Amino acid sequence: MSSPSSAPGRAVKPKQLLVMLLAFLLVAGLGGVLTAGLVMPAVGAAGAVSQSTTELFDDLPSELAIPEPSQSSQILAADGSVLASIYADNRIVVPLEEISPHVRDAVVAIEDRRFYEHRGVDPEGMLRALVNNLTGGPLEGASTLTQQYVKNVLIEAGRISGDEEAIDAATETTLGRKLEEARLAIGLEQKVSKEDILEGYLNIAQFGPSQYGVETASKYYFSKSAKDLTVAESAMLAGITQSPARHDPVRNPENAKVRRDTVLKRMLEQKYISQAEYDEAVAIPIEEMLRVSRTPNGCAAAGISAYFCEYVVDDLLQSEAWGKDLADRQQALYRGGLVIHTTIDPAKQQAAYDSVTASVPVNDPSTIKMALSSVEPGTGKIQAMVQNTTWGNPTAEDPGATKVNLNVGLSHGGGRGFQSGSSFKVFTLVEWLRTGHTLNDQVVANRRSYPRESWNISCGKYEDNYEPKNLESSPDVSRISVLEATRMSVNLPFVEMANQMDMCNIVDTAAKMGIRTGSGDPLTPNPAAVLGSNTVTPLSQAVAFATLAARGKMCEPLAITKITDREGTEIAAPQPTCTQAIEPNIADGATGALQRVVTSERGSTGSNAVLPDGRPAAGKTGTANDDSAAWFAGYTPQLAAAVWMGYQEGTKSMFDSTINGQFYDLVYGGRIPAPTWRNYVAAALNGVPHQPFPPVPPTALYGNRVPVPDVAGRSAAEAQTILTQAGFQVQLGTPVSSGWQAGAAVATNPRAGTRAAPGTMITVIPSAGPAPEPAPAPSPAPAPPSPAEPPSDNPGNSGGDNGKGNDEDDD
């Protein structure tokens, strides 16, 4: 809003001043005959008066554009509690009926006792000031409340529009400015009631060094609303406006008492209060009256939510939905009296902070940092955003303080992100399922060299050979199922999986699910990305894992739910943006694998994240090269969260660190971030009923299964061709005797008719030909002689076993 125009400063001669004063008095309709007698001899004639005033008054604005006074905006948590106030001027506008009558009386008594009688200017006061000024005394204003209101309006208009010249013009100590002010006051009184003028003044005037309007001052000095002010409190506030710094009761209580008592004396003289009320009020020490409640300006007041608060401010200032440009949005935020409702849940926020700082305390000697972001699946609402630092600049008392939000990227006051480590394997897993593979697929687990030409990177190129390796704790096997590789976070199988797909599709899937680099640059699709070389943000990790919890529905992070203006009217706010990033059955399949990560089963990397009472959970650990970052990102159906820890610089190793008083030779995702995540989620969902995940789709486990063809009687080569054409892998088993000719297929394993996923290994069992004729049965051995008979000499009975018979067959 542009400020009202003002006449340029000009020298005004005494004769002109007298002419203009007379004109004001005539316009005001006050004592025309008397004032004419006082002034006319010096002027000569009324015609001269008219001629002398016309030219000057033509320079003065005929209308006063009264802007809405600046008000502080409030940022609220999801439960309605105030996180922070944001303002250029700390002001809360209230109607006159919500201001104590004592305040109104005190202001009129000390500032303008004839307020209800004059018509904008006070002739008696103007004449007194004129004589004083013309005789060399100090410049007097003789301003009425209406004139003071006009002056404040002109200043406020200049402040709102950023017009410093208008502000200077409204405050310059020239007679021309006083005349302009008086003219506007007269015009204002012809159109606006005394009550409206008084209300405007009480809301716009400065009642303290940084307090604008009586409501803000009342809350600051007395911790109460202006409607509840006593006589003494009202008199103290009314006295401040003459000189807000000199009469500030906090810093200058002696001056404030003298001024307060002066106001009370005027109130007594003008019969606004009784002698008893006066005596009672002047007896109260200033210090006993004060109940100071400071309203810090900005997000520092939000405490552990300061980083989230700054995220909200950045979100607003970047949103084109409610302001044509940055300047317009800044005016709305810092002067518009907005109420901004946000998504942050104070209980979850406290649970997150407690969990993070219990793992890595603020200003831990290790200087290692930890951050946690949490979002609601299916909406993107940010539920918690914390880190183990204090918002602000570092000091000797708080060396770890920082204004950098470790949860987000550069666009919202953060950094460039941190290497994601193995948590990025999730997106290879999702793409694996999306391209028709299964969790039960067996993949190579010991290949350590991938030439550059073996990679499919359709959106770029890769110039080097890639030689990944497993951690020492990984199982030493040649092949492993995808499900087991996920559960134990084995590196080489995931590289093998990615090598069979397009790397560009893998990073594209990650981006669609919500993963963002801190810099805002696209994810890099090189082979190292499979194991987490891209630098990503904790908030985007939480969003991506929430996408799985929401069965493939990705919602951009949402911080603001509603914005209302000073009248309570809802205005445009950032809207939730959700897309179906992946198919529900693909998300459910990935969740099935990630649930196995969060189990107590031997080798499960997320065993420290298992929630109490059997609450279902899924997630993934991550550790960057040289332990420079450690992650755990996980979710339940109702809540997702990502925990990161490392150094703020992002590349320093955490090997051999003493954290929270305990020595760690290695710092990995399952060791500290996983239990931090567990403690947060357990507290955040305390009392919330358990909700199961959807069952794992059979296609994720077995693929689109088809019947195994019946190849019995076919030649081995023909059987292999039939099975291969059906989409299966084939191997020959050990021949068995059968009625089929040698080399013909006898059967398969799995047997014919069994439904199996394409790619399943089918074993063809070949025939060894008919079984050979059985050998003749041997003659039965003669029965041994009875004890009563002597042994026989028959040679056929001489081959005995000395009584042992066939007992060895019973062993």
Side-chain angles (χ1 to χ4, degrees):
M1 178 184 297
S2 62
S3 59
S5 59
S6 59
R10 61 198 297 179
V12 182
K13 297 178 180 179
K15 176 180 176 181
Q16 289 177 304
L17 179 60
L18 291 174
V19 170
M20 291 182 286
L21 175 59
L22 174 60
F24 277 122
L25 299 178
L26 293 173
V27 171
L30 298 173
V33 176
L34 173 61
T35 51
L38 288 172
V39 181
M40 289 294 285
V43 180
V49 173
S50 176
Q51 183 178 2
S52 300
T53 59
T54 300
E55 182 180 345
L56 179 59
F57 281 6
D58 284 344
D59 290 338
L60 298 177
S62 59
E63 298 289 341
L64 178 66
I66 302 178
E68 289 280 3
S70 298
Q71 291 194 61
S72 60
S73 294
Q74 290 189 321
I75 298 178
L76 309 182
D79 65 353
S81 58
V82 177
L83 292 178
S85 294
I86 309 288
Y87 55 82
D89 296 331
N90 188 16
R91 177 186 287 112
I92 303 171
V93 174
V94 293
L96 192 63
E97 57 266 23
E98 293 185 18
I99 300 174
S100 168
H102 299 311
V103 178
R104 308 177 218 167
D105 296 342
V107 168
V108 170
I110 193 64
E111 296 292 342
D112 186 3
R113 68 178 184 174
R114 285 182 289 276
F115 173 67
Y116 293 106
E117 301 166 11
H118 63 65
R119 300 186 185 180
V121 295
D122 183 1
E124 179 182 328
M126 290 185 70
L127 285 173
R128 183 181 65 251
L130 171 65
V131 172
N132 185 71
N133 293 339
L134 292 178
T135 56
L139 185 65
E140 289 188 16
S143 295
T144 64
L145 266 177
T146 310
Q147 288 175 268
Q148 292 181 52
Y149 178 49
V150 166
K151 176 182 176 180
N152 279 309
V153 165
L154 294 172
I155 293 172
E156 181 67 7
R159 289 166 68 91
I160 291 174
S161 64
D163 189 343
E164 293 296 329
E165 291 185 2
I167 296 173
D168 291 341
T171 55
E172 62 185 0
T173 55
T174 64
L175 294 172
R177 195 269 298 174
K178 294 297 293 183
L179 289 170
E180 178 182 8
E181 185 181 280
R183 164 62 187 275
L184 292 171
I186 293 171
L188 183 64
E189 291 247 7
Q190 291 174 350
K191 296 184 176 182
V192 179
S193 71
K194 291 286 187 179
E195 288 72 18
D196 287 343
I197 291 171
L198 183 57
E199 177 184 302
Y201 174 81
L202 291 172
N203 278 301
I204 204 170
Q206 188 175 356
F207 285 88
S210 301
Q211 289 73 42
Y212 293 84
V214 69
E215 177 73 5
T216 298
S218 179
K219 288 182 178 295
Y220 172 69
Y221 289 116
F222 309 119
S223 299
K224 63 169 66 174
S225 175
K227 64 182 174 59
D228 299 320
L229 291 173
T230 65
V231 169
E233 292 165 345
S234 299
M236 194 194 83
L237 290 187
I240 292 175
T241 56
Q242 184 192 59
S243 178
R246 186 167 68 246
H247 300 316
D248 177 16
V250 175
R251 296 184 178 179
N252 300 302
E254 298 85 359
N255 292 348
K257 184 180 188 308
V258 171
R259 181 65 176 166
R260 181 202 65 182
D261 293 350
T262 299
V263 176
L264 289 168
K265 184 177 181 181
R266 296 284 180 86
M267 294 178 74
L268 176 64
E269 292 170 350
Q270 298 171 40
K271 303 187 183 307
Y272 286 115
I273 58 175
S274 66
Q275 184 67 48
E277 289 175 310
Y278 171 82
D279 293 341
E280 180 184 1
V282 296
I284 304 174
I286 291 291
E287 292 81 0
E288 291 185 9
M289 297 172 61
L290 298 178
R291 299 287 186 275
V292 174
S293 295
R294 303 183 187 278
T295 305
N297 186 9
C299 288
I304 64 172
S305 298
Y307 295 100
F308 172 77
C309 176
E310 286 289 336
Y311 181 93
V312 170
V313 170
D314 288 336
D315 229 25
L316 286 170
L317 296 181
Q318 294 174 36
S319 173
E320 297 180 359
W322 68 290
K324 62 183 179 182
D325 53 32
L326 177 60
D328 189 49
R329 296 190 284 270
Q330 287 175 328
Q331 283 283 10
L333 177 60
Y334 290 97
R335 296 186 179 276
L338 304 178
V339 178
I340 301 152
H341 300 258
T342 74
T343 61
I344 207 73
D345 183 318
K348 290 184 175 67
Q349 183 79 340
Q350 189 64 54
Y353 184 77
D354 291 345
S355 179
V356 163
T357 55
S359 295
V360 188
V362 175
N363 289 319
D364 188 76
S366 68
T367 72
I368 287 173
K369 304 297 189 289
M370 178 175 273
L372 183 155
S373 281
S374 179
V375 300
E376 182 180 65
T379 67
K381 291 180 179 179
I382 300 172
Q383 305 281 273
M385 179 184 286
V386 299
Q387 57 193 61
N388 66 330
T389 63
T390 305
W391 188 90
N393 296 315
T395 63
E397 295 75 23
D398 193 353
T402 179
K403 292 184 177 180
V404 177
N405 186 342
L406 301 174
N407 281 285
V408 299
L410 296 172
S411 65
H412 284 76
R416 295 184 175 275
F418 310 96
Q419 287 192 348
S420 60
S422 289
S423 63
F424 203 87
K425 290 174 182 174
V426 169
F427 309 109
T428 296
L429 173 67
V430 169
E431 186 64 13
W432 180 259
L433 296 175
R434 202 183 68 80
T435 52
H437 298 86
T438 76
L439 299 176
N440 284 323
D441 288 348
Q442 297 283 320
V443 294
V444 173
N446 59 359
R447 183 178 176 186
R448 289 177 169 79
S449 180
Y450 291 82
R452 60 184 180 182
E453 61 270 13
S454 70
W455 290 97
N456 179 8
I457 307 178
S458 62
C459 58
K461 58 183 179 179
Y462 181 65
E463 298 296 339
D464 301 315
N465 296 336
Y466 186 50
E467 298 182 352
K469 60 183 179 180
N470 280 332
L471 297 177
E472 293 180 1
S473 59
S474 298
D476 185 15
V477 294
S478 60
R479 300 180 74 85
I480 192 172
S481 74
V482 171
L483 189 61
E484 282 295 280
T486 302
R487 184 178 72 83
M488 294 188 288
S489 194
V490 189
N491 288 345
L492 295 181
F494 277 89
V495 176
E496 176 66 22
M497 292 156 63
N499 188 252
Q500 297 179 33
M501 300 182 289
D502 188 338
M503 275 302 307
C504 297
N505 291 340
I506 293 174
V507 298
D508 185 55
T509 292
K512 287 179 178 177
M513 291 176 63
I515 286 293
R516 303 287 182 267
T517 63
S519 64
D521 295 331
L523 295 164
T524 303
N526 57 24
V530 178
L531 303 182
S533 61
N534 279 289
T535 53
V536 304
T537 65
L539 178 59
S540 75
Q541 286 265 59
V543 169
F545 280 74
T547 298
L548 294 174
R551 305 191 68 204
K553 180 182 178 182
M554 190 283 290
C555 295
E556 295 286 353
L558 182 67
I560 300 166
T561 56
K562 184 172 71 172
I563 303 174
T564 57
D565 63 17
R566 64 182 77 208
E567 283 79 32
T569 303
E570 190 167 346
I571 60 178
Q575 296 299 306
T577 303
C578 299
T579 58
Q580 191 67 37
I582 56 176
E583 297 86 350
N585 64 312
I586 301 301
D588 294 343
T591 293
L594 298 178
Q595 282 184 271
R596 293 286 302 279
V597 173
V598 190
T599 65
S600 299
E601 189 176 351
R602 181 182 177 88
S604 296
T605 57
S607 59
N608 284 331
V610 174
L611 294 172
D613 302 324
R615 183 185 291 276
K620 186 69 188 72
T621 55
T623 308
N625 287 339
D626 299 325
D627 289 8
S628 63
W631 296 81
F632 187 84
Y635 54 99
T636 70
Q638 304 104 315
L639 191 66
V643 178
W644 161 87
M645 69 179 295
Y647 289 95
Q648 190 165 331
E649 308 86 84
T651 56
K652 184 178 176 182
S653 172
M654 292 186 285
F655 288 155
D656 299 326
S657 296
T658 300
I659 303 170
N660 197 13
Q662 182 173 345
F663 177 78
Y664 295 90
D665 56 345
L666 301 173
V667 179
Y668 47 86
R671 196 165 197 180
I672 301 177
T676 303
W677 181 93
R678 176 198 64 213
N679 295 339
Y680 160 65
V681 174
L685 295 181
N686 184 34
V688 178
H690 291 199
Q691 183 176 330
F693 289 111
V696 181
T699 53
L701 293 171
Y702 311 110
N704 295 311
R705 293 181 292 177
V706 296
V708 175
D710 185 356
V711 295
R714 308 277 188 166
S715 69
E718 190 177 9
Q720 185 168 357
T721 299
I722 293 171
L723 291 166
T724 301
Q725 290 176 346
F728 298 108
Q729 299 184 61
V730 184
Q731 64 181 3
L732 290 177
T734 302
V736 297
S737 298
S738 75
W740 298 105
Q741 63 183 12
V746 174
T748 57
N749 185 19
R751 67 176 181 270
T754 302
R755 301 186 69 84
T760 300
M761 181 65 71
I762 306 296
T763 301
V764 175
I765 301 171
S767 174
E773 290 294 330
S779 299
S786 66
E789 297 177 357
S792 171
D793 294 334
N794 189 332
N797 294 332
S798 64
D801 57 12
N802 296 322
K804 295 182 179 179
N806 292 328
D807 288 349
E808 62 181 62
D809 293 338
D810 297 332
D811 290 344

